[in-house]
Structures are given as structure tokens and as C-alpha cells.
Amino acid sequence: MRLENYQFIQEGELVHDGVRYEDLAQEFGTPLYIFDEDSFRQRLRAYKEALRSDYFDTELLYASKALLTLAVARIVAQEGVGQDIVSGGELYTSRAGGVDPGKVYFHGNNKLDQELVFALEEGVGTFVVDNRQEVQRLNRLAQEQGVVARVLLRLNPGIEASTHEFIQTAHVDSKFGENIHDPEIYAVIQNMEEASHLHFAGLHSHIGSQIFEETSFFQAATEMMEFATKVQERLSLTIEEINFGGGFGVYYTEGDTPFDVVEFIPRFLEHIHQEAERLGVPLQKVTLEPGRSLVNASGSTLYRVGDIKTTLTDKHYLFIDGGMSDNIRPALYEAKYEALLANKADQASVKNYTVAGKLCESGDIIIEDLPLPEAATGDLLVVNGTGAYNYSMASNYNRLPRPAMIHIMEGKPRLTVKRETYEDLLHLEL
Ligand code: LLP
């Protein structure tokens, strides 16, 4: 397993910023989501800094679907970062954490009336309208509230980035956004511009997630800028802002080749600036909304090894005390992970294990063919790269209580989400 910069081997054991995994397991139990707060804060700062531009106003928005808790929302607020939300629940958490609502962008292909009203009441800064029907609905609700909502239109530039089909978002038949090649697209924008209680500010695109090719982002940016020129010419209005989405790929296992986002951003801004000059788009504001690349490497999951079984055909199963209920990604996207035994971190691997969860489903396999030293019941398995889309997609399948989460900052662990109890499983039930 590739170690993160907060992980070290000390006296034969893997430690997190000096903290022993065994001590964490004793104090907080397993499975346990561990989140390295220092590296998350550093990444937020580095992205923000990289986004500073002489050409445009810029805003970093954290795509909070990747990981959102009250503690994470507080960090976003403290670091002065904006937030991409996709539901009333995310907005509620954002507000509880003190994030400036003016810096919140509300996405979603079917925002409910009650969610839109809540967002209007809370003063959400920008609504990213997903389809033409939403235009009228939002306008009516804004009118009822006596406010003007700032809106971007989510567009689908038709770029097919190479990523898993389920996390592609910009193909022609996508449920998200309006297609750039739709003949009625100008009429949709005209309606937004003319709506009495909407302020049409610009465009949005998000080409997918876990993307490794920089060129896809450059291409999509050019498409968007070219489209912006056409809108300006046909409708004689100005595109103030373009939000270019998120989707930057991260490292999970060997073979993943992410680019350095902090190094990429200034070149990306330069590209946008040049296209703006070439095409005559007086763009004032550029926003980016990465999720995964901000949090994934800060998160890992700690499991206790239970029974170990070898099949007739010599397959070695290593069973853990969690599984697809805390990490659905291998089952859903064939996602791959790396892991090691924290208490045997300096020992050589001797065989391949299949790490299987404890849920009633054959597909509940977290890692296939993981090379490890001879494993034993009671060992501690650390799976890296679980910061994004693990906790946020966790379930109570098989009525497993969801794990606790801790943050580690300056070598000190702090509980941020309590472990669910059996009583919690019943707390809404009558
Ligand atoms: N903006 C929009 C409009 C999005 O739809 C998404 C992700 C993002 C930003 C953030 O993308 P990121 O930087 O995190 O790649 N559950 C899947 C990922 C779904 C992503 C959905 N949209 C997974 O576990 O891989």
C-alpha cells in the first residue's frame, strides 16, 4: 500500500501521525473512519491559493457529496471555502456548520419545491438550474419569497471522459443538465434571462468524476467558452460566470495516474483566459467544485480481522467487521483499494487474500488478491483512500450500525461522528 504523508512505520507498526492504530481501535472501536484533518485543510488552502487569478474572481466550492458531516462543514466554513450542495439535507448540515450561504451553489436534477424554498429562505447564493422545467418553478418560488435567485444553467457539453459508466455525467443521454446541441437551448436561456425573479449569471458543466486526462477539462472549457460566445451573440447578454465542475481523479491503486491539481489549476485558468480573449467573452468569475480530490487521500478505514477461511481451491478469505455497508464502491463501481495490516506493517507479503465484508451478499468484497503477510484473527486492516464517497454512501444494510468517524489533527484524535447503536437503528421506528 502506498502510504500517505501522515502514515509512518514505527517499531514494526503503521501509525497515523504518531498515533497507533491499535490505540484508535481500543478507544473508538472498529470499523472506524479515520480522517486526517491537517491534510484536508492543507489541500483546501493549496487549491484556494492556486485559484487566485488576476483575470477573474474565483471561488473554490467543495463538492460536499463526497463527505459531509457537521465537523467537515465547520472546516469548510473556517477555511472560507464555498460549497456545492445537492439536497436540503446537505444545506442543513452546511448551515449548521456555519458555511456562508452566499458561497453555496445548489445543484440537483430534481430539487424539490420544499428544498428550493428552504434554500431561498437561507439565502443560498447560486442555484444551478438543471433543466428547463426548473426555471419556471424556481422563478415562481423566488417570486413568492419576494427574492431574486442568482442562477447558472447546467450544460452538458457532450464530452465523454473515460471513467466508470456510472459516474459519467456528461454524455448525451445524461439525466443531468441541458444539452449544448439542443436547438431549444437558446430559448431556455432566454427564459432564464427574462424570468422576473431570476438573475441569469452564467453556465455550469461537470464532465464526470475520477478523470485522469487533463485534456478532457481543457476541451470542455473550450466548448463551454465557444458556447458562451454563441449565447452572447444570439441573445445579446453576457456570461458573467462559468463553473467548470469537479472530477479530478485520485490515486486508489497502482495504475491510477492522477495529475497534480494544484499545479493544473493555474494552467487551466490561463487557458480560460486565453479562450475568453480569443472569443470575446468578458468572463468575470470562474468556479471549480472538486469533491473527491479534496478529501479522498485524507480518509482511511480501520477494520479488525475476524475469521480467515481457505476454500477448497485455495482462495484465502480474510473477513473484516465491516464491508459494503461502509464502502459500497467496490460492489457498485468495481472500485479498487490498497490496504495493509497495521500491526504487521514491516513484514513481507506471503500470500494473496480476498478481503470480504460481513454482509449477506457474495459481492461484498472490498479487495481481491491483496498481498499480505500471514494474517491472523485480531489483526488490524487499514484501507486507504476511503475519504470520498464512503461515509456519504454508507447504509444500514443488514442492520449494521454505521461506524464512528474520528479526525486526527496535529497527532490528536477527536471523535466527530459517534458509532451508531442498536437503539439508533430503531429511533425513527414506531
Ligand atoms: N460537481 C458536480 C455537479 C458533480 O455532479 C460532482 C460529482 C462533483 C462536482 C464532484 O466530483 P468529484 O470532484 O468528487 O469527482 N459516488 C461516485 C461519485 C459520484 C460523483 C457525482 N458527482 C463514486 O463513489 O465514485
Side-chain angles (χ1 to χ4, degrees), residues 304-321:
R304 184 75 76 180
V305 174
D307 292 338
I308 294 174
K309 116 170 178 180
T310 301
T311 66
L312 284 178
T313 55
D314 241 16
K315 189 175 170 102
H316 306 291
Y317 276 107
L318 185 151
F319 297 142
I320 52 174
D321 49 2

Side-chain angles (χ1 to χ4, degrees), residues 3-24 340 342-343 345 382 408:
L3 301 186
E4 292 299 333
N5 60 7
Y6 49 77
Q7 291 172 319
F8 305 96
I9 296 175
Q10 247 173 35
E11 293 166 21
E13 278 180 55
L14 185 70
V15 296
H16 184 134
D17 207 356
V19 187
R20 294 176 65 228
Y21 285 97
E22 183 58 48
D23 290 344
L24 293 175
L340 58 63
N343 53 315
V382 179
I408 298 185

Side-chain angles (χ1 to χ4, degrees), residues 123-135:
V124 161
T126 306
F127 293 76
V128 184
V129 169
D130 213 86
N131 60 64
R132 60 197 73 182
Q133 237 190 317
E134 189 187 329
V135 176

Side-chain angles (χ1 to χ4, degrees), residues 345-419:
D346 62 345
Q347 297 181 22
S349 302
V350 294
K351 62 171 91 145
N352 283 351
Y353 287 92
T354 295
V355 178
K358 68 189 277 358
L359 292 102
C360 272
E361 183 120 352
S362 307
D364 178 27
I365 305 289
I366 297 297
I367 307 177
E368 282 283 6
D369 293 330
L370 174 69
L372 287 178
E374 192 65 44
T377 301
D379 284 346
L380 282 173
L381 187 81
V382 179
V383 179
N384 265 11
T386 61
Y389 305 109
N390 272 231
Y391 175 75
S392 61
M393 295 175 83
S395 76
N396 288 123
Y397 183 43
N398 288 178
R399 297 229 135 187
L400 257 63
R402 279 175 298 178
M405 188 179 312
I406 58 161
H407 284 202
I408 298 185
M409 196 170 153
E410 291 167 359
K412 288 191 193 61
R414 160 176 125 253
L415 188 65
T416 58
V417 182
K418 289 194 267 187
R419 182 173 304 283

Side-chain angles (χ1 to χ4, degrees), residues 63-305:
S64 59
K65 71 206 79 180
L67 173 67
L68 186 59
T69 62
L70 186 56
V72 167
R74 285 186 181 130
I75 297 170
V76 172
Q78 285 162 9
E79 298 295 336
V81 169
Q83 190 180 347
D84 148 359
I85 60 158
V86 293
S87 70
E90 287 189 354
L91 175 58
Y92 187 81
T93 311
S94 169
R95 297 298 298 122
V99 177
D100 175 357
K103 291 187 177 206
V104 169
Y105 283 58
F106 193 2
H107 286 271
N109 65 298
N110 187 29
K111 303 177 191 77
L112 307 178
D113 282 4
Q114 70 203 61
E115 291 178 314
L116 290 172
V117 169
F118 178 35
L120 290 164
E121 284 171 356
E122 293 294 321
V124 161
T126 306
F127 293 76
V128 184
V129 169
D130 213 86
N131 60 64
R132 60 197 73 182
Q133 237 190 317
E134 189 187 329
V135 176
Q136 307 311 335
R137 218 153 48 84
L138 180 58
N139 187 50
R140 175 174 50 79
L141 295 169
Q143 183 162 22
E144 282 167 17
Q145 300 284 316
V147 293
V148 172
R150 182 177 191 271
V151 291
L152 303 181
L153 175 63
R154 177 159 183 174
L155 286 174
N156 203 322
I159 301 277
E160 294 226 14
S162 56
T163 185
H164 193 283
E165 180 190 350
F166 293 174
I167 48 181
Q168 270 182 3
T169 47
H171 54 91
V172 177
D173 293 331
S174 173
K175 75 168 188 168
F176 296 110
E178 289 283 1
N179 198 283
I180 220 163
H181 304 295
D182 186 326
E184 289 178 24
I185 194 73
Y186 298 99
V188 173
I189 295 174
Q190 178 102 44
N191 285 341
M192 290 175 84
E193 171 74 5
E194 285 169 3
S196 57
H197 288 74
L198 302 183
H199 164 62
F200 174 72
L203 309 171
H204 169 274
S205 82
H206 171 76
I207 58 172
S209 201
Q210 187 58 358
I211 295 169
F212 293 128
E213 297 84 26
E214 286 188 355
T215 46
S216 303
F217 293 99
F218 285 110
Q219 256 179 42
T222 294
E223 293 245 10
M224 292 293 288
M225 301 292 289
E226 285 175 350
F227 181 72
T229 326
K230 289 186 200 153
V231 173
Q232 294 190 156
E233 280 166 8
R234 290 214 199 180
L235 305 178
S236 45
L237 49 83
T238 43
I239 302 293
E240 291 164 30
E241 172 176 353
I242 302 184
N243 175 331
F244 293 94
F248 311 124
V250 302
Y251 178 93
Y252 286 97
T253 59
E254 273 175 34
D256 289 337
T257 50
F259 54 85
D260 179 346
V261 181
V262 171
E263 187 267 329
F264 160 84
I265 291 174
R267 283 187 292 115
F268 186 62
L269 290 175
E270 185 60 38
H271 173 76
I272 296 165
H273 168 64
Q274 278 170 16
E275 292 297 65
E277 298 268 282
R278 177 174 74 88
L279 297 160
V281 182
L283 200 60
Q284 290 159 30
K285 187 166 182 186
V286 170
T287 32
L288 285 181
E289 49 187 23
R292 189 192 315 268
S293 65
L294 282 168
V295 284
N296 200 54
S298 297
S300 51
T301 311
L302 181 64
Y303 302 98
R304 184 75 76 180
V305 174

